Amino acid sequence: MRLILIDSGVGGLTVARAIRATMPVQMLYVADNAGFPYGALTDVDLVARIERLVVRALDLVDADGLVVACNTASTVVLDALRARHAIPIIGVVPAVKWAASISESRRIGVLATAATVARPYLAELIKRFAGDCEVFVHGAAGLADLAERAFRGELVADSALIDEIAPLFAPVGADAIDTVALGCTHYPLLQARIEAAFPGVRFLDPAGAVARQVARVVSPGGAWRGSVAPDTVLFTAQPEHRGALQAALRAEAFPRLAVSPI
Ligand code: DGL
C-alpha cells in the first residue's frame, strides 16, 4: 500500500509505526516543521497550510490513501480535504470513546495541544461518547516540542514532562482520573516516561485504531510511483540537529530525508 502521512513534525511516526505493524506499506511522510507547532496556528492558517501540503504531496507521489497523522489538523481540516480530494483520507482524533469505555472511576482526561482542546470537534466527541464521565481537558503548550527533542536524542528532564502534564490532574476531582486519551500524535513518543511519571493512570494512544481504519478504507494500488523514493521523510524547512534526526529516522525505517519548502 502506498500512503502519504502528514504531521507538523515527527509525531505522526507513532501512527506510521502502527500502520507498518498492520500491513506492508510504503510511505511519503511529510513533516511540516516550518509550520511547527500546529497547536499555535489559527484554524484558518492551519487549514490553508494543510491544503497546500496535500496538493504538493499528491503531486510528488501516486498514493492510495492519505493519513493526517495529527490531531490538531484532523480536528479542523478533514471535511475540507475530503470535499476536494478523491483518495481515502484518514484522520486521528483523541480516543475519548475508548477512554470512556474502560474508565472505572468515570473520570477521564484528554491531553492535547491548546488548539485541539479548544475545538468544537472535541466538545462534540465528549458529548457523544463520554456523557456519563467527568472529562478533564488540558492543552499542553510545550509537550510536542519535548517529544521532538527526545526523539532526536536530546536530554529531556522528567520534571519538564511533569510540568507539562500535571495541570491536567490539578482541578478538584481530577485526582481520580484513571484514563487519559492522548490527543496529540507526538505524545506516544514519550508514553513510557509519561506512564512512569503518573503511575496508576492509563494513557491511550489511538494509533492502532488509525491503522485498522487505514486497512478498512484504503485499497493497495500497486507499485510505488513518484518523484521521491518510498519511505522518505520530507521536511518543509531545514531541520535542527539533522545528523541525530536522520539516525533516529533510519531507526524508524525511514532511510531518506529530504527538505522542500511548501
Ligand atoms: N502531532 C500534532 C498533533 O497530533 C501536533 C503537534 C503540534 O504541532 O502542535 O496534534
Side-chain angles (χ1 to χ4, degrees), residues 7-9 11-12 35-40 69-73 92 113 116 141 144 183-187:
D7 183 34
S8 59
F36 182 86
Y38 280 176
C70 170
N71 296 255
T72 311
V92 187
T113 65
T116 297
C184 169
T185 52
H186 278 74
Y187 303 166

Side-chain angles (χ1 to χ4, degrees), residues 151-164:
F151 180 78
R152 61 182 183 241
E154 285 178 43
L155 276 181
V156 171
D158 281 341
S159 58
L161 296 186
I162 292 169
D163 286 350
E164 285 287 333

Side-chain angles (χ1 to χ4, degrees), residues 4 15 29 39 118 215 255 260:
I4 295 168
V15 177
Y29 183 101
S260 167

